[in-house]
Amino acid sequence: MMQASYTVNGAVATVTLAGRFDFNAHREFRDAIDRALAESAVRQLVLDFRAVDYIDSSALGMLMLLKEKADNNHKQVTLSHCTGSARQVLEIANFSKLFVMD
C-alpha cells in the first residue's frame, strides 16, 4: 500500500510517495496530485520517490496522466530521489525524456 503526503512551499508542491506505487494507489495519488495542480501559485510539482519500493505499469500510466494535466496547467513535474527498482522501471520506460529526474 502506498502513502502520499503533500506540502507546498511557495511555487513548489512536493508529493512524497512511500510504499508500493501500483493500481491500488491510484485514488491516493490522484487526490494528492489534484490538490497540487489546483494551487494557482504552484509552478512545479516534485514527486519524491525516495520511499517507493515498487512501481508497476499502472503507476507509469498515472504519471503520464499527471504529465498531461501538468502541461495543460503550465506546471513542471520533477521526479525526485528515484532509486533502486523504481528508477530502473522509469529508465526502461524512457521517462527521463518526459520528466526532469534527479
Side-chain angles (χ1 to χ4, degrees):
M1 179 160 192
M2 188 182 81
Q3 296 178 336
S5 60
Y6 164 78
T7 59
V8 174
N9 185 6
V12 179
T14 301
V15 176
T16 303
L17 308 172
R20 294 177 59 91
F21 190 10
D22 59 16
F23 181 76
N24 293 323
H26 77 279
R27 179 175 290 163
E28 193 157 349
F29 179 76
R30 186 187 64 216
D31 289 349
I33 295 307
D34 285 350
R35 283 184 290 173
L37 291 173
E39 296 275 350
S40 61
V42 169
R43 307 304 327 146
Q44 181 181 15
L45 276 70
V46 176
L47 298 183
D48 187 337
F49 278 81
R50 101 182 57 216
V52 173
D53 53 20
Y54 175 82
I55 185 169
D56 73 0
S57 60
S58 63
L60 297 177
M62 288 185 259
L63 290 172
M64 292 299 296
L65 290 174
L66 165 62
K67 172 78 171 142
E68 184 178 323
K69 287 181 177 180
D71 286 349
N72 290 339
N73 287 287
H74 309 289
K75 300 181 189 226
Q76 181 184 15
V77 178
T78 299
L79 307 182
S80 179
H81 299 102
C82 302
T83 60
S85 63
R87 183 171 195 90
Q88 287 179 324
V89 171
L90 293 168
E91 287 179 349
I92 289 169
N94 283 325
F95 271 40
S96 61
K97 293 181 180 178
L98 301 172
F99 296 94
V100 175
M101 290 177 60
D102 63 17

